[in-house]
């Protein structure tokens, strides 16, 4: 490992001398003693990096994804489909989802309750690509729910797992849409710079429906209502609802090109009429595909293209969601050589981003990047861990400097070195991986501070190149070290 430079400086002297006040004789003496005890040493070492491919990532994002788009960087295509269940809070449905059955005025000739209509509605949060491109999705009824408490990765395919209903009575509905609401006026559309004013996609479920027991209803909403009044326990909680009533729906991109959309939430609406105090009102019951229920997103991309990019040794890549991460080999032995008894107080490393040929057409760089030991690449997310600044660290993209900076990973280096001394070193003991992530935060109403509540793999389309690689010609990646050496004799 190449050692770049070494300097030594006496710690604290000038700065601490300025802190004297009326008790100069006491404080000055104590500060002199502290300064005599420690010396700060600095050093810089080169770091090796390479791209590694990842077949899939844990799909635990707050959002789902839907679309089909061409990657401007590679020329390959990326497709996203998703499935969702619908949440029913414990005993919520029994008490307040519908009014009393006797008050419902939407009934058939036999006096049985019916739904006036039923609609699936997909709410879009954001899009990459041309939001005016027409796209087509197909909504499929599922035959059984995905398992609760199971980690689903981005290569989990509902279709190949045989989870779609296919007995000849299944719901299959096609819907053409554009992610940007075409009903907006030109002046309003011009204001949508960040593409957040996106429409919801309404998918009607108003055709005749036959359930798995062979009972026929005039529409899917009528089926939902009658299952509710037939046995309130069907709606006791999300598990009962998914296993007894509605296993969920699968949404697949079946036509269109040029846009990938982030799905904020999917909701299931049932409309009906009811009477209250001698007046008839329009009512609606809706269930949401929230984070409390199981959802999956399946990402498909060109594996061969991904492998070809990762083989490029003139740089390294960060490509999300399922694509390429950057592996970093830390020079642990070189850092500790000759400093076995010194305290490692600071270790700073900066990764420089390489601008693309046409950044306006690119997916956009990851905003947040997580550094974690390679041995923890999957367990970190499966165990829902947060960055602790001991074994895992977050860096935020700086547009001003075009960099990702990890300000102090000294704790990680110390732990890796200690593991080696204790015989706990694995094959990847000195390797970390840079992973694009999505960070969720909560804000304190009392103090205005924010707290990280969740870190998940970035499921949105993100891509960038970093300076590095075995054939890197853009300048070395270095790690800057500060040691703290005890110099006073006991």
């Amino acid at each position: 490992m190449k050692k770049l430079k070494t300097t030594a400086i006496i710690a604290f002297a000038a700065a601490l001398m300025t802190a004297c006040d009326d008790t100069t004789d006491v404080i000055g003496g104590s500060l002199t003693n502290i300064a005599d005890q420690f010396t700060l040493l600095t050093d810089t070492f080169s770091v090796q990096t390479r791209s590694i491919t990842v077949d899939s990532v844990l799909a635990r994002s707050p959002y789902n994804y839907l679309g089909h788009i061409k990657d401007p960087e590679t020329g390959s295509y990326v497709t996203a489909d998703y499935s969702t269940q619908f949440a029913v809070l414990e005993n919520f449905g029994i008490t307040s989802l519908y009014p009393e059955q006797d008050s419902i005025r939407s009934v058939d000739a036999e006096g049985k309750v019916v739904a006036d209509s039923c609609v699936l509605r997909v709410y879009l949060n954001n899009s990459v690509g041309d939001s005016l491109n027409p796209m087509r999705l197909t909504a499929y009824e599922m035959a059984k729910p995905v398992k609760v408490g199971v980690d689903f990765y981005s290569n989990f395919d509902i279709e190949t797992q045989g989870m779609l209903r296919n007995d000849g009575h299944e719901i299959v509905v096609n819907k053409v849409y554009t992610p940007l609401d075409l009903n907006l006026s030109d002046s309003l559309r011009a204001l949508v710079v960040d593409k957040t004013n996106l429409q919801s996609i309404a998918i009607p479920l108003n055709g005749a429906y036959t359930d798995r027991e062979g009972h026929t209803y005039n529409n899917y909403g009528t089926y939902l209502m009658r299952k509710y009044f037939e046995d309130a326990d069907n709606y006791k909680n999300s598990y009962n609802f998914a296993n007894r009533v509605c296993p969920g729906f699968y949404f697949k991109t079946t036509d269109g090109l040029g846009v990938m959309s982030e799905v904020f939430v999917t909701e299931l609406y049932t409309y009906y009429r009811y009477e209250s105090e001698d007046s008839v009102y329009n009512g609606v019951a809706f269930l949401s595909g929230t984070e409390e229920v199981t959802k999956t997103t399946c990402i498909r991309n060109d594996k061969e293209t991904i492998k070809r990019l990762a083989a490029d040794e003139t740089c390294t890549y960060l490509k999300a969601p399922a694509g390429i991460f950057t592996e970093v080999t830390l020079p642990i032995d070189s850092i500790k050589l000759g400093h076995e008894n010194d305290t490692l107080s600071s270790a700073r490393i900066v990764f420089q981003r390489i601008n693309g040929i046409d950044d306006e057409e690119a997916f956009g760089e990851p905003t947040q990047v997580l550094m974690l030991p390679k041995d923890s690449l999957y367990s970190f997310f499966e165990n829902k861990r947060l960055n602790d600044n001991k074994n895992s660290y977050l860096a935020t993209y700086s547009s001003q400097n075009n960099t990702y900076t990890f300000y102090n990973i000294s704790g990680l280096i110390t732990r890796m070195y200690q593991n080696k001394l204790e015989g706990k070193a694995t094959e990847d003991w000195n390797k970390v991986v840079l992973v694009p992530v999505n960070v969720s935060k909560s804000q304190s109403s009392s103090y205005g501070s924010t707290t990280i509540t969740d870190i998940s793999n970035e499921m949105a389309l993100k891509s960038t190149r970093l300076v590095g690689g075995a054939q890197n010609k853009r300048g070395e990646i270095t790690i800057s070290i500060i040691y703290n050496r005890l110099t006073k004799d006991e």
Side-chain angles (χ1 to χ4, degrees), residues 354-367:
I354 303 171
N355 292 331
I357 297 175
D358 189 351
D359 273 2
E360 291 185 0
E361 295 296 326
F363 290 154
E365 68 285 334
T367 302

Side-chain angles (χ1 to χ4, degrees), residues 224-243:
L224 294 175
M225 294 181 71
R226 291 189 184 175
K227 294 297 284 187
Y228 175 88
F229 291 115
E230 172 187 303
D231 185 354
D233 204 43
N234 289 335
Y235 283 73
K236 180 181 179 181
N237 50 42
S238 299
Y239 179 85
N240 282 13
F241 183 73
N243 285 273

